[in-house]
Amino acid sequence: DVYSAEAHVGHGGWTWYTGSSGWMYRLGIEAILGLRRTGDLLHVDPCIPRDWSGYAVAYRYGEAVYQIEVDNRAGISRGVVEVTVDGQALPDAGEQGIPLEDDGQTREVRVVMGEVEGESG
């Protein structure tokens, strides 16, 4: 919905009022960066371009901050082989999710992308 009337050429219209910007935000955060919260668990399952070497994001949960670094040196678009929180590896590469705690602490989360057995990314 982009106006074409001379006084308003190129300006956005109703889509900005109807939730399109919210859906675009969800697409970027959930579908591309792969961050999805379910209750007090954070799931990280990126789907990024192969030429991205990774990304970093600060995720706030109440008063706590989760500094998340995603490492894609493998050069793939999808697949997580390791997740650590403050240096401690989570079982099954964090498949069950990262436990979130609203305790005011800052946690370092490292997600390593790589080929998952039986899949190709």
Side-chain angles (χ1 to χ4, degrees), residues 7-75:
H8 305 287
V9 172
H11 293 207
W14 286 105
T15 55
W16 295 106
Y17 306 126
T18 61
S20 294
S21 59
W23 282 107
M24 190 165 102
Y25 174 84
R26 285 194 68 182
L27 173 72
I29 299 298
E30 292 181 5
I32 298 171
L33 299 182
L35 301 177
R36 183 178 47 84
R37 191 181 121 204
T38 306
D40 61 354
L41 294 172
L42 181 65
H43 301 271
V44 183
D45 185 20
C47 185
I48 60 176
R50 293 174 192 270
D51 61 349
W52 283 19
S53 62
Y55 63 87
V57 63
Y59 183 85
R60 181 174 293 280
Y61 181 71
E63 296 297 316
V65 176
Y66 289 76
Q67 296 287 352
I68 302 167
E69 177 190 342
V70 174
D71 179 345
N72 187 28
R73 278 183 261 161

